[in-house]
Amino acid sequence: MDKYRCTVCGYIYDPAAGDPTQGIAPNTPFETLPESWVCPECGVTKDMFEKA
Amino acid sequence: MEQKDLGTYAQNTWCPGCGNFAILNAIKTVLGELNAEGLPLENVVLVSGIGCHAKIVDYINVNSFYSIHGRVTPAAEAIRLGDPKMKVIGFAGDGDAYGEGIEHLIFAAKRNIDITMVIHNNRVYGLTTGQYTPTSPQGYRGRSTPEGTKELPINPLELMLASGATYLGRGTSHGIELLKKLFKEAILHKGFSLVDVLQVCVTYFNMYEYYDKRVYELKDHNPLDYQQALNKIREWDYNRDARIALGTFYKRGSPTFEEGFFKQAVPPPERMEKIRLILESSI
């Protein structure tokens, strides 16, 4: 599972950790995050992320 | 004081995708690194002005001072002069530092006082919903200029170079790694340093795509060479379409204002007597 970096703020999505702030369980791959998911740091959508 | 995360409890209210996030995260990383290398965080003071950028001090857990519009620079200078231990980092917008506060900036550069200025240059007044600033391109259509501005922008780096700044760099909010490098260099530089950040306002002047197409990092550039720095700074005038250089344009060692200033400091017990003698001798 790849980590992804937000190109706006530098936040790294780590699939191993998930994102508890938006109810994303650990071990959730970036690709399967819902389209409504946004960067927990700066609020941009998934399309602003690239592979870390 | 030691801590891994320099965040605070304040809720961040910048727009999603705001270029300020890159500046925030870059400066937090750099402060963390400097702290690990031995800089006590209590010796750091952040100063901000008025504008969206100013909220950055709410989001970083070190000492800070909210100044008024255009007055980031003199507040930072005063803190620095008050205590030579302090690393003072001023955050200001383009409307703030290049507009109302431009005179302060010129004189701080002229004095070569050892402060760092980070300019969130989004080239628009974002907080007041989109009016043109000193660095908006000619023709910018905003709330106050529905038919487009008639004026040309200033080139702030050219002005700062001419004023005597001893460190000048430029980055963009889409290049966080370069921002970290520039911020660290600027903070460690002895003397007046300024980093102009082409920070994107997603709401009123979204320039992500524009900058992404034109920016490049300086290579084989000698920052000690004034003429080379000037040429690279003038390559893009903040108006016409041209390649936009990023990196360290200029860096020069020079005595700082406070080096001469602190020498004359007299400890409190003898201070009154010294003042009396000076006054008597000049009457």
Side-chain angles (χ1 to χ4, degrees):
Chain A
M1 282 190 294
D2 295 313
K3 291 182 182 178
Y4 278 73
R5 178 188 290 110
C6 173
T7 60
V8 170
C9 71
Y11 167 84
I12 305 254
Y13 175 76
D14 178 2
D19 175 17
T21 68
Q22 290 172 73
I24 304 296
N27 300 315
T28 305
F30 181 82
E31 294 76 10
T32 62
L33 288 171
E35 287 307 309
S36 59
W37 183 83
V38 294
C39 173
E41 188 82 16
C42 75
V44 295
T45 45
K46 276 178 75 176
D47 56 336
M48 297 298 279
F49 279 70
E50 60 187 20
K51 266 188 194 165
Chain B
M1 184 167 78
E2 270 189 46
Q3 56 183 80
K4 280 188 184 147
D5 182 11
L6 290 166
T8 66
Y9 60 83
Q11 194 199 341
N12 196 306
T13 55
W14 287 327
C15 303
C18 176
N20 282 329
F21 285 102
I23 298 177
L24 172 67
N25 288 329
I27 201 76
K28 273 162 71 173
T29 307
V30 168
L31 287 175
E33 282 174 17
L34 290 172
N35 184 228
E37 290 163 19
L39 173 73
L41 287 176
E42 52 268 35
N43 288 0
V44 176
V45 183
L46 312 178
V47 184
S48 73
I50 299 295
C52 293
H53 81 273
K55 294 186 265 188
I56 194 166
V57 302
D58 289 339
Y59 308 142
I60 307 174
N61 194 14
V62 300
N63 294 313
S64 60
F65 183 87
Y66 245 102
S67 75
I68 54 175
H69 198 238
R71 271 61 180 180
V72 177
T73 317
E77 288 180 275
I79 294 166
R80 171 71 192 160
L81 285 182
D83 189 341
K85 282 199 308 291
M86 291 299 159
K87 282 273 180 210
V88 188
I89 308 165
F91 296 91
D94 48 317
D96 203 325
Y98 299 154
E100 190 171 350
I102 190 72
E103 179 268 350
H104 294 298
L105 204 60
I106 290 169
F107 276 81
K110 171 181 173 290
R111 292 181 186 119
N112 195 34
I113 187 164
D114 191 357
I115 60 172
T116 297
M117 293 296 294
V118 174
I119 312 299
H120 301 228
N121 188 0
N122 58 12
R123 307 168 71 203
V124 69
Y125 286 94
L127 193 67
T128 52
T129 69
Q131 294 78 20
Y132 78 104
T133 73
T135 51
S136 304
Q138 192 176 39
Y140 173 78
R141 288 170 191 269
R143 295 281 173 97
S144 60
T145 50
E147 292 181 13
T149 61
K150 308 296 180 201
E151 321 164 21
L152 289 167
I154 59 165
N155 182 334
L157 292 175
E158 190 177 351
L159 179 64
M160 284 294 96
L161 187 69
S163 304
T166 53
Y167 179 96
L168 290 170
R170 181 165 62 206
T172 78
S173 56
H174 226 180
I176 195 165
E177 292 309 316
L178 180 65
L179 284 186
K180 287 180 200 166
K181 179 174 161 278
L182 294 174
F183 291 166
K184 195 162 182 181
E185 268 183 25
I187 293 167
L188 293 174
H189 175 73
K190 194 162 82 65
F192 179 83
S193 55
L194 181 138
V195 181
D196 185 61
V197 184
L198 298 171
Q199 170 247 331
V200 171
C201 172
V202 289
T203 306
Y204 295 107
F205 201 18
N206 192 336
M207 298 284 275
Y208 276 121
E209 213 180 306
Y210 183 93
Y211 291 146
D212 284 351
K213 276 186 193 152
R214 289 165 180 80
V215 296
Y216 72 99
E217 273 191 51
L218 286 169
K219 279 199 185 98
D220 304 321
H221 172 72
N222 179 9
L224 300 170
D225 185 328
Y226 186 95
Q227 194 56 47
Q228 264 194 44
L230 182 62
N231 291 347
K232 279 296 170 192
I233 285 172
R234 294 184 80 169
E235 192 175 34
W236 179 57
D237 62 0
Y238 290 74
N239 191 53
R240 67 181 195 282
D241 289 337
R243 298 208 309 154
I244 302 172
L246 304 176
T248 307
F249 288 95
Y250 190 59
K251 189 176 169 62
R252 172 169 65 95
S254 185
T256 64
F257 178 69
E258 55 270 42
E259 275 172 54
F261 199 90
F262 290 128
K263 247 182 252 164
Q264 296 153 18
V266 178
E270 298 143 45
R271 196 174 293 164
M272 291 308 289
E273 179 61 15
K274 182 101 178 176
I275 292 170
R276 194 181 61 77
L277 287 173
I278 291 169
L279 289 175
E280 278 179 9
S281 67
S282 57
I283 291 169

